[in-house]
Amino acid sequence: CQDHGRSRLMLFEDENFQGKRGELSDDCPSLPALGWGSSAVGSFLVRSGAWVCSQYPGYRGFQYLLESDSRAGEYKHVREWGSHAQTGQVQSIRRVQQ
């Protein structure tokens, strides 16, 4: 079982790692409840581990898999999250249990 204490994900309000930022090392069922002011995320930097980002709170809606060993963990724009990514709306994030 992987040590999830080492899982780290940085999220940014704007593309290219700009604007307000936050960091997660644990599952977050609701970014708004955590104080993330926007319903959207512009970019992600996956420091370690793999994460599933969901469109709505409670891990519902479209989901995107982001991994530290893919793209060097850099997801600068919504288009890099996956072929079905149309919006930057992300309101919950959890670690992939491996």
Side-chain angles (χ1 to χ4, degrees):
C1 188
Q2 186 178 10
D3 175 11
H4 290 300
R6 290 191 296 208
S7 294
R8 285 186 49 221
L9 173 76
M10 297 188 74
L11 52 154
F12 298 83
E13 188 175 36
D14 302 319
E15 298 173 8
N16 298 310
F17 317 121
Q18 301 295 312
K20 177 183 170 184
R21 74 174 199 196
E23 184 172 345
L24 296 175
S25 58
D26 203 352
D27 298 353
C28 179
S30 174
L31 284 174
L34 194 65
W36 189 255
S38 171
S39 65
V41 175
S43 51
F44 288 101
L45 185 56
V46 184
R47 294 287 192 194
S48 59
W51 298 78
V52 176
C53 302
S54 302
Q55 186 178 14
Y56 301 115
Y59 314 114
R60 297 176 297 112
F62 284 119
Q63 298 187 328
Y64 313 105
L65 176 64
L66 308 179
E67 301 174 284
S68 60
D69 59 357
S70 177
R71 302 176 173 275
E74 296 185 0
Y75 296 85
K76 298 178 184 180
H77 189 276
V78 172
R79 292 185 301 266
E80 296 178 343
W81 302 357
S83 59
H84 64 288
Q86 302 296 318
T87 173
Q89 184 172 343
V90 170
Q91 296 187 327
S92 55
I93 301 172
R94 66 181 165 196
R95 298 161 298 156
V96 173
Q97 310 264 338
Q98 296 178 338

